Amino acid sequence: MMQPFLAHPFDSDRLHEECGVFGVIGVTDAANFVALGLHALQHRGQEAGGIVAHDAEQGFNSAHRFGYVRDNFTKQGVMETLPGSLAIGHVRYSTAGTKAATAIRDVQPFFGEFAMGGCAVAHNGNITNAMALRRELIERGSIFQSSSDSECIIHLMARSIQRNIPERMKDALRRVEGAFSVIAMTRTKLIGVRDPLGVRPLVLGKIGDDGFVLASETCALDIIGAEFLREIEPGEMVVISKGQVESSRPFGPSTGRFCIFEHVYFSRPDSIIGGRSVYETRRQIGVELAREAPVEADLVCPVPDSGTMVMTRLCTPWSITPLCASAKLPDLPDSVPVTRSTAT
């Protein structure tokens, strides 16, 4: 039975936006690079992951799995099914509470076959008008396979009358409201798009002589030895093919409204956002907090892990003992975070 579709941002008290996307073009065995990139982005989604790759002889191939990247996409038997020099991937953040609440059909990237060829799409963000779009598309004959708001993008592309996939994607995303960083692929192109407000992050990197990478964070570039080139700008689309990057602005002029929670919570501390280290931003939050809200305390305890950098700077002016009262133990089975009380 398909799970209830939640499209309105207030339908659930859980965060919806923290997924990770990664794509690479122009390298041998691109899926292996994607697996490494998704591993670096694992903090953005632990429930499930997927990879789609394209090979000139075998065409499109995909693998979608529940659980950690390291438990699924490090197996030779799986990776051998994903040949090719072009691939994209996605790690999913749980929004329904348990893995059992999500079907494998909800795991991205999503794939669609169009008249001009296939296209796979991976989306990070929250489409706020997804319920209205879904209702309209179903009334006009679209058949949805998942409960994800991201599937609306594929169906909007299918209904476009444009003659190539990048133009169809522009048509589709002009109908979408909310936050989106999208990575897509055709047989020969890697595509990246950020919404006009630039709410969610997306960066561009270079690997080798002709290879390019798109990723949610710079930490995913570091793990494969890619060179960081720049951030994709708010409202920008890049189309990468044959070692060239073409940029366009399908949404017109826009002013960025980046999500502050990327600095506070979502992003990994060794990532760079807006030319600034996430680690340094969190340290400075601790400095400012110590200045604005001084307190007499015996100890300071950060919860969750992203508060550790804040804690260290908060404690410094008063020589307070920092205490980590909880810690994630990711190597335990079933992906269950475990805490240990230090109180006596």
Side-chain angles (χ1 to χ4, degrees), residues 218 228 231 258 260 262-263 267-287:
T218 60
F228 170 70
E231 295 183 4
F258 189 69
I260 189 62
E262 290 288 346
H263 281 288
S267 296
R268 226 171 73 169
D270 56 333
S271 288
I272 306 296
I273 297 177
R276 185 184 180 95
S277 162
V278 174
Y279 176 87
E280 181 60 28
T281 298
R282 291 174 185 169
R283 283 183 70 252
Q284 290 303 312
I285 290 173
V287 171

Side-chain angles (χ1 to χ4, degrees), residues 72-320:
N72 293 296
F73 297 105
T74 56
K75 300 174 181 176
Q76 183 177 356
V78 174
M79 302 312 295
E80 286 178 346
T81 67
L82 300 168
S85 60
L86 171 57
I88 66 172
H90 183 275
V91 284
R92 175 183 171 88
Y93 181 78
S94 176
T95 61
T98 63
K99 183 166 68 175
T102 299
I104 198 67
R105 62 177 175 266
D106 294 324
V107 181
Q108 299 183 49
F110 294 132
F111 179 80
E113 191 73 52
F114 304 107
M116 66 288 298
C119 177
V121 175
H123 163 243
N124 171 32
N126 191 32
I127 300 175
T128 55
N129 65 335
M131 181 63 81
L133 289 174
R134 187 183 182 92
R135 186 180 301 113
E136 173 191 328
L137 288 164
I138 290 175
E139 288 176 353
R140 294 184 178 184
S142 295
I143 300 174
F144 280 74
Q145 300 297 319
S146 76
S147 61
S148 172
D149 57 356
S150 307
E151 192 181 350
C152 290
I153 298 172
I154 287 285
H155 289 285
L156 288 169
M157 290 174 64
R159 299 192 68 83
S160 171
I161 61 172
Q162 298 297 327
R163 294 181 177 273
N164 61 63
I165 287 176
E167 291 300 320
R168 287 192 174 208
M169 178 163 288
K170 290 178 183 179
D171 267 3
L173 295 179
R174 289 188 186 110
R175 296 285 314 278
V176 169
E177 298 174 5
F180 56 84
S181 282
V182 173
I183 292 179
M185 61 178 283
T186 68
R187 291 171 294 185
T188 59
K189 295 179 175 65
L190 180 65
I191 304 168
V193 195
R194 282 183 79 185
D195 68 82
L197 298 181
V199 178
R200 301 261 72 81
L202 191 63
V203 299
L204 173 67
K206 194 173 193 312
I207 183 168
D209 295 330
D210 298 314
F212 287 90
V213 185
L214 291 168
S216 293
E217 297 182 37
T218 60
C219 65
L221 305 181
D222 298 336
I223 197 172
I224 65 169
E227 174 191 359
F228 170 70
L229 296 180
R230 65 179 179 87
E231 295 183 4
I232 304 303
E233 297 179 5
E236 181 184 12
M237 169 186 275
V238 294
V239 179
I240 307 169
S241 179
K242 298 179 180 178
Q244 301 295 319
V245 180
E246 297 180 4
S247 174
S248 62
R249 300 278 184 168
F251 312 109
S254 60
T255 302
R257 294 290 186 271
F258 189 69
C259 176
I260 189 62
F261 244 61
E262 290 288 346
H263 281 288
V264 174
Y265 177 65
F266 290 156
S267 296
R268 226 171 73 169
D270 56 333
S271 288
I272 306 296
I273 297 177
R276 185 184 180 95
S277 162
V278 174
Y279 176 87
E280 181 60 28
T281 298
R282 291 174 185 169
R283 283 183 70 252
Q284 290 303 312
I285 290 173
V287 171
E288 186 64 20
L289 183 60
R291 187 186 68 83
E292 293 184 10
V295 295
E296 293 183 8
D298 298 318
L299 59 87
V300 176
C301 174
V303 178
D305 289 348
S306 57
T308 303
M309 287 71 76
V310 177
M311 172 197 67
T312 56
R313 293 301 297 164
L314 180 63
C315 293
T316 301
W318 308 309
S319 299
I320 298 175

